[in-house]
């Protein structure tokens, strides 16, 4: 079984291990920083945004943005700004390859500012005038250190760490960039895509779906609404547990719900897992294999952004529809 990527690590584990390093960035940090996008027409500045650690005071429209969250790069790109530095992903997925962001990247090669640990020196060297870290798992000391470099946007205290809805993250980022109207339009457009998918698939409404991460904890990890990766599924009308939890071999029944989405397995790996393959949700064709952690579908779930969510709607909804149609004979094609 392949090692889970950063985007597959349970959020509680990530929160315990995230930190800040004052030395030693990756070799990518030495690359030339790309230019920021053209300024917006906003006259909203200065801007003050409350977060769980204090207040982000942004005196003027940012020109050099560094993202230190694990998905914040996508949100900034979606609003027309190319960051001058980003957080590196941990694991097997090649972040620059993500197909849903290529148009926005425009071929830019962006230096990184650390992976599991942030590199303070690398961030400061990029001379940012805004640091965005809504999905970063930073704590108060790290926030304070980052704020000494530049105004730092963190999540609010309204949601659990790592569980800020993508809509709220988009609007927060838009406010910080002075692009509030653009952010609202982006939210409206993506929600319209979800509405279209929901209308075309009424069978999704109210069905209980389990999102399983393989290779984590006891071997399976059930995601709840406290993990942003379930937002894609709840946006389609499915229900998920309130809290994420490890699934022991004795409690595999937790996965035996109306539908099951398995993140981390291809077909051969699923067949080899005798406990999983014996579940009724698997034997009756109500399971969608999302593929390995190195694949685009798994990564798109981890980003959970206005760029990756429409990609997931195109790639995953047909498989979910096949799994939800009530006919065990319907083939549910594994994804990658």
């Amino acid at each position: 079984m392949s090692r889970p990527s950063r985007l597959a690590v349970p959020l509680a584990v990530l929160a315990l291990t995230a930190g800040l390093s004052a030395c030693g960035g990756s070799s990518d940090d030495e690359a030339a920083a790309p230019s920021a996008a053209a300024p917006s027409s906003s006259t909203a500045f200065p801007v003050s945004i409350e977060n769980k650690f204090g207040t982000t005071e942004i005196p003027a429209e940012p020109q050099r943005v560094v993202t230190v969250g694990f998905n914040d790069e996508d949100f900034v790109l979606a609003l027309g700004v190319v960051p001058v530095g980003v957080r590196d992903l941990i694991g097997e997925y090649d972040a620059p390859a993500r197909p849903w962001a290529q148009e926005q990247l425009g071929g830019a090669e962006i230096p990184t500012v650390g992976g599991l640990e942030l590199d303070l020196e690398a961030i400061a060297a990029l001379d940012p005038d805004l640091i965005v870290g809504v999905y970063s798992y930073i704590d108060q000391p790290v926030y304070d250190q980052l704020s000494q470099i530049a105004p730092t946007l963190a999540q609010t205290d309204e949601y659990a760490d790592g569980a800020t809805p993508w809509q709220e993250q988009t609007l927060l980022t838009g406010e910080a960039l002075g692009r509030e109207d653009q952010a609202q339009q982006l939210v409206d457009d993506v929600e319209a895509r979800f509405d279209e998918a929901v209308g075309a698939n009424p069978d999704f409404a109210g069905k209980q779906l389990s999102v399983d991460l393989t290779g984590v904890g006891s071997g399976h990890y059930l995601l709840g609404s406290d993990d942003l990766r379930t937002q894609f599924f709840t946006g389609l009308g499915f229900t998920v547990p309130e809290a994420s939890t490890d699934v022991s071999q004795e409690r595999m029944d937790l996965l035996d719900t109306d539908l099951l989405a398995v993140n981390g397995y291809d077909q051969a790996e699923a067949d080899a897992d005798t406990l999983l393959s014996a579940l009724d949700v698997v034997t009756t064709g109500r399971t969608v294999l999302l593929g390995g952690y190195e694949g685009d579908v798994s990564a798109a779930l981890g980003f959970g952004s206005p760029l990756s969510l429409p990609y997931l709607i195109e790639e995953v909804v047909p498989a979910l529809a096949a799994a939800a149609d009530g006919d065990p004979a319907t083939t549910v094609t594994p994804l990658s």
Side-chain angles (χ1 to χ4, degrees):
M1 182 185 303
S2 60
R3 178 173 59 88
S5 70
R6 197 290 309 164
L7 295 173
V9 174
L11 301 186
V13 176
L14 181 61
L16 289 173
T17 57
L20 184 67
S21 170
C23 61
S26 70
S27 60
D28 289 339
D29 296 338
E30 300 173 2
S35 300
S40 74
S41 58
S42 173
T43 58
F45 295 95
V47 168
S48 296
I49 304 174
E50 297 298 322
N51 64 66
K52 68 180 295 184
F53 305 116
T55 304
T56 307
E57 302 280 1
I58 308 171
E61 183 176 352
Q63 302 298 312
R64 296 181 60 80
V65 179
V66 170
T67 61
V68 297
F70 290 107
N71 70 354
D72 288 282
E73 176 184 354
D74 263 17
F75 288 80
V76 171
L77 283 170
L79 292 168
V81 175
V82 179
V84 298
V86 298
R87 192 167 191 163
D88 194 16
L89 298 186
I90 298 168
E92 301 165 11
Y93 186 71
D94 182 12
R98 62 196 195 280
W100 57 87
Q102 292 310 300
E103 179 180 352
Q104 290 76 15
L105 279 167
E109 295 184 7
I110 306 176
T112 57
V113 293
L116 185 60
E117 294 185 347
L118 292 172
D119 187 333
L120 182 63
E121 290 183 355
I123 295 170
L126 291 171
D127 193 26
D129 49 20
L130 177 66
I131 298 170
V132 178
V134 178
Y135 187 48
S136 62
Y137 290 91
I138 58 175
D139 56 16
Q140 185 75 57
V142 173
Y143 172 81
D144 292 341
Q145 292 179 77
L146 291 172
S147 296
Q148 292 176 12
I149 299 172
T152 299
L153 181 67
Q155 72 172 71
T156 69
D157 59 5
E158 187 175 353
Y159 305 98
D161 287 351
T164 300
W166 66 267
Q167 296 96 326
E168 176 68 14
Q169 188 170 352
T170 302
L171 296 175
L172 276 173
T173 306
E175 184 178 2
L177 296 174
R179 303 182 182 218
E180 292 179 87
D181 291 345
Q182 187 177 343
Q184 185 61 63
Q185 186 60 58
L186 186 59
V187 169
D188 293 345
D189 290 346
V190 176
E191 287 187 334
R193 297 287 298 274
F194 273 103
D195 290 343
E196 182 180 357
V198 168
N201 297 278
D203 289 342
F204 293 171
K207 277 192 167 58
Q208 187 178 2
L209 181 141
S210 296
V211 183
D212 172 33
L213 298 186
T214 63
V216 178
S218 297
H220 295 275
Y221 193 86
L222 178 63
L223 296 184
S225 59
D226 55 352
D227 189 298
L228 68 77
R229 283 165 287 194
T230 62
Q231 293 180 17
F232 167 68
F233 300 100
T234 56
L236 293 170
F238 294 105
T239 63
V240 300
E242 182 175 343
S244 303
T245 184
D246 187 45
V247 178
S248 66
Q249 293 185 358
E250 294 76 22
R251 290 307 316 273
M252 290 292 287
D253 59 289
L254 293 173
L255 304 178
D256 209 354
T257 50
D258 293 328
L259 264 74
L260 172 64
V262 181
N263 193 2
Y265 272 173
D266 60 21
Q267 188 65 64
E269 290 167 327
D271 292 342
D273 187 330
T274 56
L275 292 177
L276 181 79
S277 59
L279 295 176
D280 185 64
V281 70
V282 176
T283 60
T284 56
R286 294 179 282 119
T287 296
V288 176
L289 300 179
L290 301 173
Y293 295 122
E294 73 283 355
D296 291 328
V297 168
S298 177
L301 276 175
F303 274 87
S305 74
L307 296 181
S308 72
L309 290 168
Y311 171 85
L312 286 171
I313 290 173
E314 293 293 328
E315 295 293 319
V316 181
V317 166
L320 290 170
D325 72 354
D327 184 359
T330 302
T331 298
V332 182
T333 304
L335 304 170
S336 61

